C-alpha cells in the first residue's frame, strides 16, 4: 500500500452477528473503518501504534447487508508499506464479545478526544482510558492493554505529569516483553526515555533511547529510528553536548522527511533551531524554525505550532529583537492553554517574563515567572523549575533586590547541578557572579565566573565544527568580558595582587581561539588515516561549493539577476554547512587530529618572552561600561581604563568613514559633487584621528617612546590602521601639524599574542624557500579584453579596455549594479614590472595576463617562493567568509569562462612556506567580525597555509596609489635589505611625504599581520 491510498474489502453480514477484524500494520500507518449498508460509517480505529502493530475493529452488526472494511493510509506522503488483514471472529456474540466491542468503541472515542486541542477533552479522554484498562485486562486482551497503557502515558505526558506517564509506560514495557513484541518494546523504551527527560534525568533517558534505537535498527524500522535519534539529540542538548546533539538531529532529519510525517519532521527542525541558538547562530536557527512552523500549520498541529512560535521568539530575542520575540511568545500562550499543555504554558509564561526583563520591566517579569514556577512544580518538571528560578532571580536582581536574586540563583544552581545541565549551570553561575559583584563580594564573584568559564571552555572543546565552535564562543563572550572587568576592579582596589595581569590572561583566553587552534593544527595532515569514502565526500562538496560560489559572485551587482542570486545563495549556504559538518567528521575520525595538543592561551610572563626590548604590545578589550588597554613590555605591564565600547567604536567608525570617503562612489554623483564630499571628509579626518588617538593611545602615551608597537585590537578598532593615528599628546593638532605614528614607530597587528607564539613554534627551524618572488597580477576578467585571441576579438567586436584614473579601486563590490564587466586594473601590471625590476633576475615567477589564474595559484608552484604577491581585485563577503576570494583570470586565451576565484577554503589548503604574502587588493584584511575571534577572512587562511606574515588592506585601495606603495615596499626589502615590517613603514612614510599621496587613504590601508622580526 502507498501513502494516501485506500483499499476496500467487502463482506456480507447478518443482523446480530459479532465481527472482529484485525489489520496488522507492517511498515505503514493505517486507519481501519467499517462502513455499513448505505455507505454509513459505523466506526474507525487508528491506534497510537505508528506503522507497526495491530489496528483491531470489533462490531455488533445491527442490520443485514453488504459491509465494507476500509483500510486507508491517512498520510499522502507516507512511504509504501504492507499490512495483513484477518477476520478473527464472525459469530453470535458472547458476553465477552459485547464487552470487547464496547471497550474498543470507548477507546476510539478517547483517542479522538485526545487529539482535540482543549484541556477538557483531554481530561475526559484520560478518565475513559483509566476506566478501560481493567476491562482489557479482564478480557486478557494484552495488545489492547499495551495500547491503552501507551495512550495513557502519552496523555499524562501531554498534561504535564511525566511521573505518572512513566509508570504506565513501564507497565506497557513489561507486557510487551511478555508477549515477545519487540516493536512495542522499542516504542515503550523510547517513551520511557521521554519521561525521564522531562523529569530531568538525561542519562537515564539516553540509556532507554539507546536500547530503543538498537531494537529498531535490528528491525529495520527507519521511521522509528528517527524518533530515537531525535530524542538522543534532546538528551545531549540537555547535557550541554551541543555538537553531539546536532549530529543526532542531522541523522534524524532525513529519516523523518523520508517517512513523510510533517509533525515529526517539524519537531526535529525545531530542535536543530534550538541548538543553533545555543551555538550563537540565531539567524541560521530561524531558517529551520520557520520551516517547522509552516509544517505545523499545514498539519494543523496546534500544540506544535505553539512550540515553533516560542522558539522563533527565542531566536529573535537572541538577535536583540525583544519586542518581536514578545509578540511570538504572546501568540504561543493561548495555543498552549487551549491544548491543556501545562508545561508549554509555563514555558510561554517564562519566555514572556524574560522579554519583560529585557524591556526593563522587572515587576512584570517577576509576575510571569512566579506563575511559571507554580506550573513547573505542579507537574514535577525539575529542569523547567530550575530555569524559572534562574529567570526569577534575574528579574529580582534587575529590580534592585540583589539578595533575593542571589537566593533564587542558588536554588537554580543546585537543581541544574543535580540534572547535570551544564549549559544552564554556566549561565546560572554567571548570574550569581554578577550578583556577588553587585554586593561587593568580588572574590566570591570571581570564583563563580571562573567556574562558569571552565564549563564554557569544556563545552566549546566538544564542538568539532570550526564554524560552530566560533559562533558558540562568540555567544559566550559576556562571561569573559565580565571577568576582565571584575579583575580590573580588584586591581584598582589592590594594585599589588597582579589582578591586571590575570585580566590580560583572560583577554587572551577570550580572543582568536579558533585561529590559535588552526595554527597549531596547520602542520598536521588530519586526512591521513580517514576512510576514503568520507574524504571523497569532502572533495565532492568542496568542488560543488567552489563552483556554486563562483557563480554566485559572478551574479553580484547584476540587478536583473537578484532572484537567481538569492536562490543560489541559499544553495551555497546549505552546501557550506554540510561541508563544515563533513570537515568536522574528518577531524573527529582522524588519529592525527586526536593527537594534536590544543594550545593554551598565554599569560603575562609568556607574552613578555615574545617581545624584544624595543617592542611594546598594546592589547585592547572593549566592554559595555569600561574598556581596558594593557601596555606590555619585555619587563613591565601597565594597564589603563578607557571609555566604554560605544564611545570607542563610535569614534573609530567615524574615522573609518571619513578616511575611506575617497574610495566611495555614490550613484548619480557628479565629479564636482564627489570632490566636494571628499574635501569635507579630508578636512574632518585629522580631527577624528586626533580624537581616537586621545581615547585609545593617550593614556599610554608615556609608554610608547622609541618602541615598535604591536597592536591587538578589539571590535571596531580592528578596522583602523594604528599607523595613521597621530602621535598622542603631540601638541597642536590639524592637517599642518599631523604627525602619524609611523613617523616614530613600526606598527604591527596581531589577532592575539598567543597566536604569535604558536606561529613561531610552527615556523621554528623552517628554512627559506629556494626561489625569490612569485608575482600574480593583471588577470584577464572578460572575453572582451584586448588580450583575448584575435579570432575571438573579431567575433566579439572591438575591445573596450581603458586605463582607469587614479581613483579607481581594486574591489568587486565597488562596481556599479548591473556593470557589464569587471574592469581591468592596469596599474597592477606596472606594479608587477616595478617589483620585478628591483628583484634579482633569477628565480622569480611572473604570472601576468592569462597566467594569473587559479591553476597557477593552486598548482603547487607557489610553495617554492619566499615572497608571494597578488595584485588584482578582491572580493570580501562579510556574511560568509568562505566565499571571500582573490579574483584571478576569469577567462582563458580563447575567451571561454573559467573559475578564477581563489576562495578562502582553497587558501587554507595551500602549502605556502612564505616569508611574506602581500594581498595587493581591496579590503583583504577584512572579513566577518566575530566577537572573540576578530575579523574572519583571507588573512587567517594565508597564515594557516604557512605565511610568516601577511600584508593586507583595510579598505578599497587606489589602483594607482597602491602600485606606487608596493614598488616602494619591495625596493625597501630587496634593494635596501629592510625587514618587511620596516620596509612597509618606509614605503608608507614616502607616500605620506608626497602631496599627491599624503592622504591616509592612499598609504595607510595596508597593515602587516604576524611576525615582525
Amino acid at each position: 500500500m502507498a501513502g494516501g491510498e485506500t483499499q476496500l474489502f467487502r463482506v456480507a453480514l447478518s443482523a446480530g452477528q459479532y465481527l472482529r477484524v484485525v489489520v496488522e500494520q507492517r511498515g505503514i500507518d493505517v486507519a481501519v473503518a467499517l462502513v455499513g449498508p448505505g455507505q454509513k460509517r459505523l466506526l474507525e480505529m487508528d491506534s497510537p501504534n505508528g506503522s507497526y502493530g495491530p489496528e483491531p475493529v470489533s462490531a455488533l452488526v445491527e442490520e443485514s447487508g453488504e459491509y465494507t472494511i476500509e483500510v486507508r493510509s491517512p498520510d499522502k506522503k507516507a512511504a509504501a508499506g504492507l499490512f495483513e488483514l484477518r477476520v478473527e471472529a464472525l459469530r453470535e456474540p458472547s458476553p465477552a464479545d459485547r464487552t470487547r466491542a464496547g471497550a474498543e468503541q470507548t477507546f476510539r472515542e478517547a483517542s479522538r478526544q485526545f487529539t482535540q486541542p482543549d484541556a477538557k477533552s483531554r481530561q475526559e479522554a484520560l478518565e475513559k482510558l483509566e476506566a478501560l484498562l481493567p476491562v482489557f485486562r479482564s478480557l486478557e486482551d494484552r495488545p489492547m492493554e499495551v495500547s491503552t497503557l501507551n495512550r495513557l502515558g502519552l496523555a499524562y505526558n501531554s498534561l504535564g505529569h511525566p511521573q505518572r506517564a512513566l509508570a504506565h509506560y513501564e507497565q506497557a514495557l513489561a507486557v510487551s516483553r511478555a508477549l515477545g513484541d519487540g516493536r512495542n518494546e522499542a516504542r515503550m523504551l523510547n517513551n520511557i526515555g521521554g519521561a525521564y527527560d522531562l523529569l530531568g534525568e538525561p542519562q537515564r533517558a539516553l540509556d532507554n533511547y539507546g536500547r530503543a534505537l538498537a531494537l529498531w535498527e535490528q528491525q529495520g524500522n527507519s521511521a522509528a529510528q528517527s524518533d530515537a535519534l531525535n530524542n538522543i539529540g534532546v538528551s545531549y542538548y540537555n547535557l550541554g553536548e551541543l555538537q553531539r546533539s546536532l549530529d543526532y538531529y542531522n541523522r534524524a532529519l532525513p529519516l523523518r522527511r523520508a517517512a513523510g510525517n510533517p509533525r515529526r519532521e517539524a519537531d526535529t527542525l525545531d530542535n536543530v533551531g534550538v541548538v543553533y541558538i545555543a551555538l550563537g547562530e540565531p539567524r541560521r536557527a530561524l531558517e529551520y524554525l520557520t520551516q517547522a512552523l509552516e509544517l505545523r500549520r499545514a498539519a494543523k498541529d496546534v500544540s506544535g505550532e505553539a512550540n515553533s512560535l516560542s522558539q522563533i521568539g527565542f531566536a529573535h530575542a537572541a538577535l536583540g529583537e525583544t519586542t518581536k520575540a514578545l509578540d511570538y511568545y504572546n501568540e504561543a500562550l493561548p495555543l498552549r492553554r487551549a491544548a491543556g499543555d501545562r508545561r508549554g504554558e509555563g514555558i510561554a509564561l517564562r519566555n514572556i517574563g524574560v522579554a519583560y526583563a529585557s524591556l526593563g520591566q522587572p515587576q512584570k517579569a517577576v509576575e510571569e515567572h512566579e506563575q511559571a514556577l507554580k506550573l513547573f512544580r505542579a507537574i514535577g518538571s525539575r529542569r523547567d523549575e530550575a530555569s524559572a528560578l534562574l529567570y526569577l532571580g534575574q528579574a529580582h536582581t534587575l529590580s534592585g533586590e540583589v539578595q533575593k536574586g542571589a537566593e533564587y540563583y542558588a536554588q537554580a544552581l543546585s537543581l541544574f547541578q543535580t540534572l547535570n545541565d551544564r549549559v544552564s549551570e554556566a549561565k546560572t553561575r554567571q548570574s550569581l557572579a554578577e550578583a556577588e559583584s553587585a554586593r561587593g563580594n568580588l572574590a566570591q564573584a570571581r570564583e563563580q565566573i571562573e567556574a562558569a568559564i571552565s564549563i564554557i571552555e569544556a563545552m566549546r572543546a566538544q564542538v568539532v565544527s570550526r564554524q560552530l565552535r566560533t559562533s558558540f564562543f562568540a555567544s559566550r563572550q559576556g562571561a569573559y568580558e565580565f571577568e576582565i572587568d571584575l579583575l580590573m576592579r580588584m586591581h584598582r582596589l589592590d594594585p599589588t595582587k597582579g589582578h591586571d595581569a590575570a585580566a590580560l590572561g583572560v583577554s587572551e583566553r577570550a580572543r582568536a581561539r579558533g585561529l590559535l587552534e588552526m595554527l597549531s593544527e596547520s602542520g598536521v595532515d588530519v586526512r591521513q588515516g580517514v576512510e576514503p569514502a568520507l574524504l571523497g565526500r569532502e572533495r565532492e562538496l568542496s568542488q560543488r561549493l567552489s563552483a556554486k560560489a563562483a557563480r554566485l559572485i559572478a551574479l553580484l551587482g547584476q540587478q536583473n539577476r537578484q532572484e537567481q542570486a538569492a536562490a543560489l545563495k541559499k544553495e551555497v549556504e546549505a552546501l557550506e554547512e554540510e561541508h563544515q559538518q563533513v570537515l568536522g567528521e574528518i577531524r573527529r575520525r582522524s588519529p592525527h587530529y586526536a593527537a594534536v595538543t590544543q594550545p593554551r592561551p598565554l599569560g603575562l610572563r609568556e607574552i613578555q618572552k615574545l617581545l624584544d626590548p624595543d617592542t611594546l604590545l598594546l592589547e585592547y578589550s572593549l566592554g559595555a561600561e569600561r574598556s581596558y588597554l594593557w601596555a606590555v613590555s619585555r619587563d613591565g605591564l601597565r594597564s589603563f581604563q578607557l571609555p566604554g565600547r560605544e564611545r570607542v567604536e563610535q569614534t573609530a567608525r567615524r574615522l573609518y568613514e571619513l578616511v575611506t570617503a575617497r574610495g566611495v562612489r555614490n550613484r548619480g554623483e557628479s565629479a564636482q559633487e564627489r570632490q566636494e564630499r571628499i574635501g569635507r571628509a579630508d578636512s574632518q579626518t585629522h580631527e577624528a584621528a586626533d580624537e581616537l588617538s586621545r581615547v585609545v593611545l593617550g593614556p599610554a602615551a608615556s609608554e610608547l617612546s622609541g618602541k615598535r608597537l604591536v597592536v591587538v585590537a578589539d571590535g571596531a578598532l580592528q578596522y583602523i590602521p594604528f599607523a595613521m593615528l597621530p602621535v598622542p599628546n603631540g601638541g597642536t593638532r590639524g592637517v599642518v601639524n599631523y604627525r602619524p605614528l609611523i613617523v616614530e614607530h613600526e606598527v604591527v597587528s596581531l589577532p592575539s599574542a598567543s597566536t604569535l607564539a604558536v606561529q613561531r613554534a610552527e615556523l621554528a627551524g623552517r628554512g627559506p624557500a629556494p626561489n625569490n618572488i612569485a608575482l600574480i597580477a593583471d588577470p584577464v576578467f572578460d572575453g572582451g579584453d584586448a588580450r583575448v585571441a584575435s579570432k575571438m576579438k573579431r567575433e566579439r567586436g572591438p575591445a573596450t579596455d581603458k586605463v582607469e584614473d587614479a581613483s579607481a579601486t581594486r574591489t568587486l563590490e565597488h562596481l556599479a549594479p548591473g556593470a557589464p564587466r569587471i574592469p581591468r586594473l592596469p596599474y597592477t601590471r606596472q606594479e608587477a614590472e616595478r617589483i620585478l625590476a628591483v628583484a634579482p633576475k633569477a628565480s622569480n615567477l611572473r604570472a601576468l595576463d592569462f597566467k594569473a589564474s587559479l591553476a597557477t595559484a593552486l598548482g603547487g608552484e607557489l610553495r617554492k617562493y619566499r615572497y608571494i604577491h597578488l595584485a588584482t581585485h578582491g572580493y570580501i563577503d562579510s556574511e560568509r567568509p568562505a566565499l571571500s576570494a582573490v579574483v584571478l583570470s576569469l577567462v582563458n586565451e580563447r575567451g571561454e569562462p573559467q573559475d578564477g576565484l581563489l576562495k578562502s577554503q582553497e587558501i587554507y589548503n595551500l602549502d605556502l612556506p612564505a616569508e611574506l604574502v602581500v594581498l595587493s587588493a581591496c579590503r583583504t584584511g577584512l572579513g566577518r567580525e566575530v566577537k572573540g575571534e576578530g575579523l574572519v577572512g583571507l588573512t587567517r587562511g594565508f597564515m594557516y597555509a604557512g605565511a610568516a606574515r601577511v600584508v593586507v588592506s583595510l579598505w578599497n585601495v587606489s589602483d594607482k596609489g597602491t602600485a606606487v606603495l608596493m614598488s616602494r615596499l619591495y625596493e625597501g626589502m630587496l634593494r635596501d635589505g629592510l625587514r618587511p615590517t620596516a620596509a612597509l613603514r618606509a614605503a608608507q612614510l614616502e607616500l605620506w611625504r608626497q602631496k599627491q599621496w599624503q592622504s591616509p587613504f592612499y598609504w595607510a590601508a595596508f597593515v602587516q599581520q604576524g611576525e615582525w622580526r
Side-chain angles (χ1 to χ4, degrees):
M1 172 178 259
E5 185 180 342
T6 299
Q7 294 189 21
L8 306 177
F9 303 86
R10 291 181 172 83
V11 59
L13 300 175
S14 301
Q17 283 185 309
Y18 167 70
L19 170 69
R20 178 171 175 79
V21 173
V22 176
V23 173
E24 194 71 36
Q25 301 167 125
R26 302 188 188 281
I28 190 167
D29 186 16
V30 300
V32 182
L34 182 64
V35 182
Q39 297 301 304
K40 183 180 180 181
R41 297 183 76 81
L42 302 176
L43 57 89
E44 184 168 348
M45 184 68 164
D46 189 6
S47 73
N49 292 333
S51 54
Y52 288 89
E55 295 285 0
V57 171
S58 296
L60 297 172
V61 179
E62 295 182 354
E63 62 177 305
S64 300
E66 186 177 77
Y67 286 74
T68 301
I69 301 167
E70 178 187 282
V71 182
R72 176 174 57 90
S73 169
D75 187 354
K76 294 180 180 179
K77 296 182 179 180
L82 302 175
F83 68 87
E84 176 190 350
L85 185 150
R86 60 179 183 272
V87 177
E88 289 196 344
L90 183 58
R91 59 177 179 244
E92 290 294 316
S94 67
D97 292 337
R98 295 180 185 278
T99 300
R100 187 187 307 278
E104 288 184 5
Q105 177 62 26
T106 303
F107 182 88
R108 289 191 291 272
E109 291 171 1
S111 296
R112 280 195 299 272
Q113 283 182 296
F114 179 74
T115 64
Q116 299 303 306
D118 62 291
K120 182 181 177 184
S121 294
R122 289 183 174 228
Q123 186 60 42
E124 289 177 359
L126 187 68
E127 292 168 3
K128 288 177 181 177
L129 291 167
E130 287 283 18
L132 279 177
L133 192 57
V135 176
F136 286 123
R137 282 173 171 163
S138 69
L139 293 168
E140 297 185 355
D141 189 338
R142 308 307 296 276
M144 283 305 296
E145 179 184 354
V146 171
S147 292
T148 305
L149 286 164
N150 182 34
R151 181 63 88 183
L152 276 166
L154 294 171
Y156 277 120
N157 243 355
S158 70
L159 292 170
H161 298 292
Q163 192 67 57
R164 292 184 184 180
L166 178 63
H168 287 84
Y169 292 145
E170 287 178 335
Q171 292 177 60
L173 176 64
V175 176
S176 298
R177 283 174 170 164
L179 292 171
D181 184 351
R183 298 190 186 282
N184 262 327
E185 179 183 354
R187 185 176 295 115
M188 292 311 110
L189 285 167
N190 185 63
N191 291 351
I192 288 168
Y196 276 123
D197 189 54
L198 285 176
L199 288 167
E201 298 187 49
Q203 194 55 58
R204 295 184 76 172
L206 273 174
D207 292 343
N208 283 281
Y209 291 146
R211 294 189 188 104
L213 179 61
L215 284 171
W216 277 325
E217 285 174 342
Q218 290 172 14
Q219 297 159 14
N221 188 342
S222 60
Q225 287 174 47
S226 75
D227 293 342
L229 291 167
N230 178 79
N231 295 337
I232 291 170
V234 172
S235 292
Y236 277 123
Y237 176 85
N238 291 334
L239 288 167
E241 297 190 38
L242 303 181
Q243 180 71 60
R244 294 185 76 176
S245 173
L246 188 61
D247 291 344
Y248 276 96
Y249 292 149
N250 284 329
R251 288 174 61 188
L253 195 54
L255 296 178
R256 290 198 151 180
R257 283 177 174 151
N261 189 321
R263 294 188 182 193
R264 288 182 174 175
E265 180 183 345
D267 286 341
T268 303
L269 287 167
D270 272 343
N271 292 340
V272 171
V274 170
V275 175
Y276 276 125
I277 294 170
L279 287 168
E281 293 276 4
R283 293 199 185 279
R284 188 180 296 185
L286 280 172
E287 296 173 12
Y288 289 90
L289 298 172
T290 303
Q291 291 178 54
L293 182 61
E294 291 171 357
L295 288 171
R296 306 279 200 198
R297 286 175 168 166
K300 295 181 172 53
D301 178 6
V302 176
S303 180
E305 179 182 351
N307 187 68
S308 295
L309 288 167
S310 295
Q311 303 304 351
I312 289 173
F314 193 30
H316 282 294
L319 289 166
E321 300 167 353
T322 308
T323 303
K324 203 169 186 178
L326 184 58
D327 291 341
Y328 280 100
Y329 298 151
N330 282 322
E331 192 177 350
L333 181 59
L335 297 179
R336 299 284 201 186
R337 284 173 170 161
D341 181 357
R342 295 200 301 163
R343 177 174 179 262
E345 179 183 353
I347 290 171
L349 291 167
R350 181 195 67 196
N351 292 342
I352 290 168
V354 172
Y356 278 133
S358 296
L359 292 169
Q361 301 179 53
Q363 192 51 51
K364 279 189 173 183
V366 167
E367 293 168 6
E368 301 292 336
H369 289 317
E370 285 178 341
Q371 291 182 65
L373 183 60
K374 287 179 183 177
L375 279 170
F376 293 144
R377 282 176 167 165
I379 66 178
S381 179
R382 294 193 298 164
R383 176 173 287 103
D384 292 314
E385 177 186 353
S387 72
L389 289 165
L390 167 61
Y391 292 121
L392 195 52
Q394 290 180 347
H396 280 294
T397 302
L398 186 63
S399 65
E401 299 175 283
V402 180
Q403 177 62 40
K404 199 167 187 178
E407 292 169 2
Y408 280 114
Y409 294 148
Q411 294 178 57
L413 180 60
S414 176
L415 273 174
F416 284 133
Q417 287 177 307
T418 300
L419 299 169
N420 200 22
D421 186 339
R422 303 285 279 168
V423 175
S424 300
E425 181 184 345
K427 192 184 302 182
T428 307
R429 285 189 180 278
Q430 184 173 342
S431 293
L432 192 53
E434 290 166 359
E436 296 290 3
S437 175
R439 293 194 294 173
N441 301 327
L442 303 190
Q444 292 90 326
R446 185 182 181 189
E447 181 181 334
Q448 292 295 339
I449 196 63
E450 289 215 337
I453 287 177
S454 294
I455 295 171
I456 291 169
E457 295 274 351
M459 290 173 61
R460 178 184 176 279
Q462 293 169 351
V463 180
V464 177
S465 164
R466 285 175 179 159
Q467 185 175 331
L468 294 179
R469 187 184 293 187
T470 296
S471 59
F472 170 76
F473 197 53
S475 70
R476 301 305 193 274
Q477 283 296 297
Y480 295 88
E481 184 180 310
F482 174 82
E483 185 171 18
I484 288 170
D485 189 66
L486 176 68
L487 287 164
M488 293 306 291
R489 284 178 60 196
M490 297 171 76
H491 172 68
R492 289 196 298 275
L493 293 172
D494 187 351
T496 66
K497 298 293 186 182
H499 294 306
D500 56 344
L504 173 63
V506 176
S507 174
E508 282 290 306
R509 289 175 73 186
R511 67 175 72 239
R513 295 287 294 282
L515 175 59
L516 186 67
E517 290 163 353
M518 282 193 294
L519 291 175
S520 71
E521 299 164 15
S522 61
V524 176
D525 182 3
V526 297
R527 287 171 168 77
Q528 190 175 349
V530 177
E531 309 90 286
L534 187 59
L535 296 178
R537 177 66 178 152
E538 189 277 327
R539 280 194 299 272
E540 178 210 348
L541 286 169
S542 181
Q543 290 165 1
R544 289 172 59 198
L545 180 60
S546 181
K548 287 185 182 291
R551 285 174 53 205
L552 176 60
I553 294 173
L555 290 174
L556 296 173
Q558 300 183 34
Q559 286 184 318
N560 60 336
R561 309 286 290 278
Q562 289 308 295
E563 286 188 15
Q564 185 179 351
L568 189 55
K569 175 184 172 184
K570 287 188 176 180
E571 291 182 43
V572 167
E573 288 173 343
L575 273 176
E576 185 182 357
E577 183 176 339
E578 189 176 357
H579 187 235
Q580 286 293 324
Q581 290 171 3
V582 172
L583 286 173
E585 190 63 24
I586 287 171
R587 286 194 290 275
R588 181 183 299 153
R589 297 188 190 183
S590 168
H592 295 275
Y593 179 78
V596 173
T597 302
Q598 294 302 317
R600 181 179 56 85
L602 304 186
L604 174 62
R605 300 301 175 208
E606 295 158 310
I607 292 172
Q608 288 176 321
K609 291 177 182 177
L610 297 174
L611 303 178
D612 316 307
D614 56 352
T615 298
L616 184 72
L617 175 77
L618 300 175
E619 181 154 334
Y620 291 86
S621 175
L622 304 186
E625 296 181 17
R626 294 169 291 273
S627 301
Y628 297 100
L629 162 63
W630 296 273
V632 186
S633 63
R634 183 67 179 260
D635 54 7
L637 166 66
R638 289 201 63 191
S639 55
F640 307 91
Q641 182 175 310
L642 307 179
R645 179 185 294 110
E646 185 175 355
R647 162 81 189 285
V648 174
E649 294 201 327
Q650 186 179 50
T651 307
R653 289 195 179 99
R654 178 170 177 267
L655 173 57
Y656 189 85
E657 289 170 4
L658 290 168
V659 77
T660 58
R662 286 177 177 269
V664 175
R665 291 175 179 266
N666 296 326
R667 293 188 69 189
E669 184 181 46
S670 68
Q672 182 177 348
E673 289 171 334
R674 181 170 182 268
Q675 283 303 117
E676 289 173 355
R677 173 175 56 81
I678 290 173
R680 289 191 300 271
D682 281 351
S683 66
Q684 296 169 8
T685 296
H686 295 89
E687 175 189 336
D690 281 339
E691 183 181 356
L692 186 60
S693 179
R694 285 196 299 271
V695 171
V696 301
L697 290 173
S702 61
E703 305 294 314
L704 308 184
S705 180
K707 299 287 188 180
R708 175 187 300 109
L709 304 181
V710 178
V711 179
V712 178
D714 191 18
L717 291 178
Q718 297 170 101
Y719 295 85
I720 302 299
F722 273 57
M724 69 168 286
L725 295 182
V727 175
N729 302 336
T732 306
R733 316 228 176 245
V735 177
V736 175
N737 296 290
Y738 172 55
R739 187 175 176 81
L741 278 179
I742 56 163
V743 174
E744 300 178 6
H745 307 273
E746 287 181 8
V747 182
V748 180
S749 296
L750 287 178
S752 72
S754 302
T755 55
L756 178 65
V758 173
Q759 191 180 28
R760 282 185 177 173
E762 292 296 316
L763 300 178
R766 185 179 80 180
N771 297 337
N772 201 21
I773 300 176
L775 209 151
I776 301 177
D778 196 15
V780 184
F781 302 124
D782 187 85
D785 190 293
R787 292 168 289 178
V788 174
S790 58
K791 177 181 176 183
M792 295 300 300
K793 283 194 294 178
R794 286 194 298 272
E795 292 175 358
R796 292 173 179 268
T800 56
D801 283 318
K802 63 177 182 178
V803 174
E804 303 292 328
D805 62 44
S807 66
T809 62
R810 300 180 180 183
T811 178
L812 287 187
E813 298 92 325
H814 194 223
L815 299 181
R821 56 196 295 253
I822 299 171
R824 182 179 178 181
L825 294 170
Y827 288 106
T828 64
R829 192 177 200 88
Q830 292 183 19
E831 179 178 317
E833 300 296 359
R834 289 176 181 176
I835 290 171
L836 290 171
V838 298
K841 300 303 179 186
S843 304
N844 297 317
L845 173 65
R846 182 180 181 273
L848 307 182
D849 305 322
F850 299 102
K851 196 174 180 182
S853 66
L854 188 61
T856 298
L858 301 180
E861 184 71 14
L862 296 187
R863 71 168 63 99
K864 301 174 184 177
Y865 292 87
R866 191 172 307 164
Y867 304 112
I868 297 170
H869 188 93
L870 297 101
T872 181
H873 281 295
Y875 173 76
I876 301 299
D877 193 318
S878 58
E879 292 182 9
R880 299 169 300 279
L883 299 189
S884 295
V886 176
V887 187
L888 302 175
S889 288
L890 298 174
V891 296
N892 61 21
E893 290 89 340
R894 295 179 298 279
E896 297 166 342
Q898 64 181 17
D899 184 6
L901 298 172
L902 178 59
K903 292 172 288 298
S904 182
Q905 188 60 50
E906 292 163 331
I907 293 168
Y908 278 99
N909 292 330
L910 292 175
D911 177 15
L912 297 178
E915 292 300 305
L916 174 68
V917 171
V918 178
L919 301 184
S920 185
C922 285
R923 305 195 308 142
T924 49
L926 301 186
R928 183 182 180 188
E929 184 182 345
V930 181
K931 288 187 72 175
E933 199 59 49
L935 297 176
V936 179
L938 299 175
T939 307
R940 59 182 52 206
F942 281 102
M943 293 177 75
Y944 179 83
R949 53 191 68 77
V950 185
V951 170
V952 290
S953 62
L954 294 177
W955 55 71
N956 296 343
V957 297
S958 157
D959 184 24
K960 185 176 182 180
T962 299
V964 175
L965 177 71
M966 291 301 164
S967 63
R968 299 294 189 272
L969 168 65
Y970 282 90
E971 285 175 7
M973 289 191 299
L974 303 177
R975 186 186 65 191
D976 303 332
L978 297 176
R979 289 173 294 103
T981 311
L984 178 61
R985 176 188 174 221
Q988 290 177 320
L989 277 172
E990 185 172 342
L991 263 69
W992 170 64
R993 290 180 177 126
Q994 298 179 40
K995 185 175 181 180
Q996 182 181 3
W997 310 117
Q998 65 184 1
S999 169
F1001 169 75
Y1002 292 111
W1003 58 264
F1006 285 95
V1007 296
Q1008 182 191 302
Q1009 293 263 6
E1011 181 63 80
W1012 63 82
R1013 298 189 302 187

